[in-house]
Amino acid sequence: MKPLRHPPPAGPGHRLPMTLLHLRVRDLFLRAAAEIHCAGISNHAAAEWLHKRLARYRECGWQRDRIAETVPPRLAGRVEGLLFCVLKCSDRLVSSRLVRAVLARD
């Protein structure tokens, strides 16, 4: 019998290891954005602010930037640069409730 090249999926209701890795990296970028741009405010306020900025960037700038492999130079040093990385990991809008949960896990 030939050995399997790839391990079988975990089964229904279980996420694949690569999906879990993408979500962990997304969470790290969200935490970094909060630490850099939301210093001194509560997790609740930071989550609301990040959610609003992420929604705005996803509706506007992300449409142009999504084809880029790396962070566009115009976003370097801005919160949108980190949000670009968040959306590269998972191209969906993250709710403020989930951002609060991620920030609470620090």
Side-chain angles (χ1 to χ4, degrees):
M1 185 169 166
K2 290 180 5 180
L4 295 174
R5 287 189 195 182
H6 305 287
H14 298 281
R15 291 184 170 160
L16 295 173
M18 196 60 161
T19 304
L20 293 174
L21 178 65
H22 282 276
L23 295 177
R24 284 187 193 120
V25 171
R26 179 202 65 194
D27 293 352
L28 289 174
F29 282 121
L30 284 171
R31 282 191 203 114
E35 287 175 11
I36 295 169
H37 298 283
C38 301
I41 62 174
S42 68
N43 282 351
H44 181 79
E48 292 293 326
W49 187 80
L50 283 172
H51 172 72
K52 286 179 185 175
R53 295 298 295 255
L54 185 62
R56 183 179 301 141
Y57 177 66
R58 188 170 189 270
E59 292 300 319
C60 299
W62 177 245
Q63 303 301 321
R64 173 183 53 237
D65 297 336
R66 71 174 12 144
I67 60 172
E69 291 294 319
T70 60
V71 178
R74 66 183 178 77
L75 300 179
R78 299 174 57 198
V79 69
E80 286 82 6
L82 291 167
L83 298 179
F84 171 88
C85 297
V86 167
L87 290 172
K88 270 299 192 182
C89 292
S90 174
D91 186 9
R92 65 186 269 291
L93 185 59
V94 181
S95 70
S96 60
R97 180 179 172 189
L98 182 60
V99 177
R100 275 195 311 273
V102 168
L103 297 180
R105 280 187 235 143
D106 282 342

